[in-house]
Amino acid sequence: MGETIRLQAPLKDADVEKLRAGDKVLITGVILTGRDAAHKRLFDLLQAGKPLPVDIRGQIIYYVGPAPAKPGRPIGSAGPTTSGRMDVYSPKLMEMGLKGMIGKGMRKKEVVEAMKKYRAVYFAATGGAGALLAKAIKKAEAVAYEDLGPEAINRLEVQDFPVIVVNDILGNDLYKQGMEQYAR
């Protein structure tokens, strides 16, 4: 839990294998956005055996519905949304190659098990700090489901986007570790 790890996104198995719950991480590169409506559409396509509108292999999906951009900025306030709403869809996306998810809040047991099976991680971004997080986003463009407005799937170029590993590929859970520590 000491030094900060720098990651280049999209991710490879070797990137997620070294991460542990509690690690502080700065992500640079390309990540995708998506919330429940976009996840449902992706899930429905997979269930129907159809191709996805974006390649999710190695990708990180940030659960965010950003505010409109102010003049001269690529994006408005971009704080995380509650991850539990994506839990029903996440295992299937990990099976298809998704390597990381960014949000806030705990994940269901089935999602944690899928992270172990498919070698993916869950990061937390600080809720309530959307304006600060937006400063790490250098470019944003809608790449699918533009009709969903702020909930469209966007391709973000980020530099030193700050997150903390909550769930790693070993099944460790930072939230549970914290509760156990304070229960003593």
Side-chain angles (χ1 to χ4, degrees):
M1 281 228 246
E3 66 187 79
T4 299
I5 297 168
R6 292 182 174 276
L7 286 180
Q8 184 71 37
L11 303 177
K12 297 174 180 55
D13 279 345
D15 296 323
V16 297
E17 288 167 0
K18 68 183 177 187
L19 297 174
R20 294 296 174 263
D23 286 347
K24 292 176 275 188
V25 177
L26 294 174
I27 301 169
T28 296
V30 172
I31 63 175
L32 299 174
T33 68
R35 288 178 50 160
D36 18 345
H39 272 71
K40 180 173 182 354
R41 289 185 185 181
L42 294 174
F43 186 80
D44 289 347
L45 284 174
L46 291 171
Q47 295 298 92
K50 295 182 178 170
L52 298 180
V54 293
D55 184 359
I56 62 168
R57 290 173 299 178
Q59 286 294 342
I60 298 170
I61 292 183
Y62 182 25
Y63 305 145
V64 62
K70 290 190 166 123
R73 293 292 307 150
I75 200 165
S77 182
T81 195
T82 303
S83 303
R85 295 195 310 268
M86 275 54 76
D87 281 357
V88 68
Y89 313 115
S90 295
K92 185 66 177 173
L93 294 177
M94 284 183 266
E95 181 184 343
M96 301 308 297
L98 182 68
K99 286 293 164 196
M101 298 152 286
I102 303 170
K104 66 180 181 181
M106 296 181 84
R107 305 308 296 269
K108 288 188 174 140
K109 183 177 182 254
E110 300 80 23
V111 177
V112 174
E113 290 303 314
M115 283 184 247
K116 289 165 49 178
K117 180 175 182 179
Y118 299 115
R119 308 186 89 59
V121 294
Y122 171 54
F123 303 101
T126 304
L132 185 62
L133 291 168
K135 290 181 179 182
I137 300 169
K138 304 305 176 192
K139 186 176 179 188
E141 66 176 315
V143 292
Y145 309 138
E146 288 91 342
D147 61 299
L148 294 176
E151 292 194 35
I153 296 177
N154 286 281
R155 178 187 182 276
L156 302 182
E157 290 180 18
V158 299
Q159 183 176 345
D160 293 338
F161 190 88
V163 293
I164 297 172
V165 178
V166 174
N167 299 105
D168 60 32
I169 65 168
L170 302 177
N172 296 313
D173 186 316
L174 181 64
Y175 295 141
K176 287 182 180 172
Q177 290 170 353
M179 286 186 272
E180 289 165 2
Q181 178 183 346
Y182 288 100
R184 286 187 227 134

